[in-house]
Amino acid sequence: DSIEQHISPKEHQVIQRRIYGTEYSVDAYFDRSSNFIQAVPRTRDRVADGEVLDSTTCQNTTLISLTKDIGERLRLRGPTCFQYIVDRDKKPYLIEINARFGGGCILSMEACLNMVEMIRDEYYCDTKPNLYNIHWNLKMRRVNRETFFNG
């Protein structure tokens, strides 16, 4: 479809079809020359106000490959966060790219995608980023709780 088919000139709105499936974030790191270094896909199992509350790392090679190809073509550098929806037929749809740390990237860092260390090594030590074996199927749950003090 052409983009013109989805734009209503009277209302200046973009209309897109709703995609049903599983939502993923992919945290990735690209070096100073925009070369792909490493990525960790993670499911967005439970989300509130746009922030992931429950997430699981998963070795989805399709999403890693897409992230590498798109990021290198866009000449991205540093930490990035891609978001996809994979439909029931396993077709991935890219819905967002953030040229920054993703909100749930702490799970990817805990799984050994240490992007802070990669920045340090590359920009301050002038060495190539260290690669580690990623811990797949690592789960994260964010917990919001109140604490009370007498004061």
Side-chain angles (χ1 to χ4, degrees):
D1 295 345
S2 71
I3 189 71
E4 291 80 17
Q5 293 174 325
H6 300 285
I7 297 177
S8 170
K10 292 180 184 175
E11 301 170 12
H12 300 289
Q13 295 178 352
V14 175
I15 301 166
Q16 63 186 44
R17 130 178 109 93
R18 185 172 181 141
I19 304 166
Y20 295 93
T22 304
E23 191 175 350
Y24 293 85
S25 289
V26 180
D27 297 306
Y29 188 82
F30 295 86
D31 71 12
R32 287 190 279 203
S33 300
S34 299
N35 296 308
F36 173 82
I37 300 300
Q38 201 166 25
V40 174
R42 50 188 172 80
T43 57
R44 292 171 56 87
D45 302 320
R46 189 168 60 107
V47 178
D49 299 322
E51 283 295 318
V52 68
L53 301 177
D54 290 343
S55 189
T56 307
T57 61
C58 58
Q59 195 170 10
N60 187 318
T61 56
T62 300
L63 296 183
I64 292 171
S65 180
L66 277 171
T67 298
K68 175 187 185 302
D69 291 345
I70 294 166
E72 287 182 345
R73 285 183 187 196
L74 292 175
R75 305 220 22 92
L76 297 177
R77 292 183 293 182
T80 62
C81 182
F82 287 62
Q83 290 190 305
Y84 298 90
I85 294 177
V86 177
D87 72 8
R88 296 176 189 132
D89 295 324
K90 305 290 184 211
K91 183 175 180 182
Y93 293 86
L94 177 64
I95 58 172
E96 188 174 333
I97 301 173
N98 297 291
R100 59 170 173 75
F101 292 103
C105 74
I106 57 171
L107 173 57
S108 294
M109 289 188 200
E110 183 69 22
C112 286
L113 178 67
N114 194 334
M115 294 181 284
V116 173
E117 185 179 282
M118 290 177 175
I119 292 168
R120 182 204 64 208
D121 290 349
E122 188 174 15
Y123 288 90
Y124 296 103
C125 302
D126 204 28
T127 60
K128 290 189 176 198
N130 288 321
L131 299 179
Y132 299 100
N133 290 325
I134 301 299
H135 300 296
W136 300 114
N137 204 36
L138 183 64
K139 297 179 185 305
M140 175 190 79
R141 169 163 289 164
R142 284 193 166 136
V143 180
N144 183 13
R145 64 178 179 203
E146 289 74 26
T147 304
F148 301 91
F149 300 93
N150 286 324

